Short mmCIF file of all heavy atoms in Angstrom, two decimals:
data_model
loop_
_atom_site.label_atom_id
_atom_site.label_comp_id
_atom_site.label_asym_id
_atom_site.label_seq_id
_atom_site.Cartn_x
_atom_site.Cartn_y
_atom_site.Cartn_z
N ARG J 74 9.04 1.22 11.30
CA ARG J 74 8.04 2.08 11.94
C ARG J 74 6.85 2.33 11.00
O ARG J 74 5.70 2.32 11.42
CB ARG J 74 8.67 3.39 12.39
CG ARG J 74 7.80 4.16 13.36
CD ARG J 74 8.60 5.08 14.27
NE ARG J 74 9.77 5.64 13.63
CZ ARG J 74 9.75 6.64 12.75
NH1 ARG J 74 8.61 7.18 12.42
NH2 ARG J 74 10.87 7.09 12.25
N ASP J 75 7.16 2.54 9.72
CA ASP J 75 6.08 2.73 8.75
C ASP J 75 5.21 1.48 8.63
O ASP J 75 3.99 1.57 8.56
CB ASP J 75 6.67 3.09 7.38
CG ASP J 75 7.21 4.51 7.35
OD1 ASP J 75 6.91 5.27 8.29
OD2 ASP J 75 7.93 4.85 6.40
N LEU J 76 5.86 0.34 8.60
CA LEU J 76 5.11 -0.92 8.50
C LEU J 76 4.25 -1.12 9.74
O LEU J 76 3.12 -1.61 9.66
CB LEU J 76 6.07 -2.10 8.32
CG LEU J 76 6.74 -2.20 6.95
CD1 LEU J 76 7.79 -3.31 6.94
CD2 LEU J 76 5.71 -2.47 5.86
N GLN J 77 4.79 -0.73 10.88
CA GLN J 77 4.03 -0.84 12.12
C GLN J 77 2.83 0.11 12.08
O GLN J 77 1.73 -0.26 12.47
CB GLN J 77 4.95 -0.50 13.30
CG GLN J 77 4.31 -0.75 14.65
CD GLN J 77 5.13 -0.16 15.78
OE1 GLN J 77 6.20 0.39 15.56
NE2 GLN J 77 4.61 -0.28 16.99
N ARG J 78 3.09 1.30 11.56
CA ARG J 78 2.03 2.29 11.44
C ARG J 78 0.90 1.80 10.55
O ARG J 78 -0.28 2.04 10.81
CB ARG J 78 2.60 3.59 10.89
CG ARG J 78 1.64 4.76 10.90
CD ARG J 78 2.34 6.03 10.50
NE ARG J 78 1.92 6.49 9.19
CZ ARG J 78 1.03 7.45 8.97
NH1 ARG J 78 0.47 8.07 9.98
NH2 ARG J 78 0.70 7.80 7.76
N ASP J 79 1.26 1.07 9.51
CA ASP J 79 0.25 0.57 8.59
C ASP J 79 -0.40 -0.72 9.09
O ASP J 79 -1.25 -1.29 8.40
CB ASP J 79 0.88 0.29 7.21
CG ASP J 79 1.20 1.59 6.49
OD1 ASP J 79 0.82 2.66 6.99
OD2 ASP J 79 1.85 1.52 5.42
N GLY J 80 0.01 -1.17 10.27
CA GLY J 80 -0.59 -2.38 10.81
C GLY J 80 -0.11 -3.66 10.17
O GLY J 80 -0.74 -4.70 10.29
N MET J 81 1.03 -3.58 9.48
CA MET J 81 1.57 -4.76 8.81
C MET J 81 2.52 -5.53 9.72
O MET J 81 2.74 -6.72 9.53
CB MET J 81 2.34 -4.35 7.55
CG MET J 81 1.55 -3.47 6.62
SD MET J 81 0.66 -4.43 5.43
CE MET J 81 2.02 -5.07 4.46
N VAL J 82 3.10 -4.83 10.67
CA VAL J 82 4.12 -5.42 11.53
C VAL J 82 3.82 -5.09 12.99
O VAL J 82 3.41 -3.97 13.30
CB VAL J 82 5.52 -4.88 11.14
CG1 VAL J 82 6.52 -5.07 12.26
CG2 VAL J 82 6.01 -5.55 9.87
N GLY J 83 4.00 -6.06 13.87
CA GLY J 83 3.87 -5.83 15.30
C GLY J 83 5.24 -5.72 15.95
O GLY J 83 6.20 -6.32 15.48
N ARG J 84 5.32 -4.93 17.01
CA ARG J 84 6.60 -4.68 17.69
C ARG J 84 6.43 -5.03 19.16
O ARG J 84 5.50 -4.60 19.81
CB ARG J 84 6.95 -3.21 17.53
CG ARG J 84 8.26 -2.79 18.13
CD ARG J 84 8.47 -1.31 17.85
NE ARG J 84 9.80 -0.86 18.19
CZ ARG J 84 10.14 -0.38 19.38
NH1 ARG J 84 9.26 -0.30 20.35
NH2 ARG J 84 11.38 0.02 19.61
N ARG J 85 7.37 -5.81 19.65
CA ARG J 85 7.26 -6.26 21.03
C ARG J 85 8.60 -6.05 21.72
O ARG J 85 9.64 -6.48 21.22
CB ARG J 85 6.93 -7.77 21.03
CG ARG J 85 5.83 -8.12 22.02
CD ARG J 85 5.51 -9.60 21.91
NE ARG J 85 5.59 -10.26 23.20
CZ ARG J 85 5.64 -11.58 23.37
NH1 ARG J 85 5.65 -12.38 22.31
NH2 ARG J 85 5.71 -12.11 24.57
N VAL J 86 8.56 -5.39 22.86
CA VAL J 86 9.80 -5.08 23.59
C VAL J 86 9.92 -6.00 24.80
O VAL J 86 8.97 -6.13 25.58
CB VAL J 86 9.81 -3.62 24.05
CG1 VAL J 86 11.11 -3.30 24.78
CG2 VAL J 86 9.60 -2.68 22.87
#
Side-chain angles (χ1 to χ4, degrees):
Chain J
R74 195 154 34 77
D75 287 347
L76 288 173
Q77 188 191 357
R78 189 173 109 100
D79 288 352
M81 307 269 292
V82 160
R84 182 178 190 270
R85 225 177 127 195
V86 181

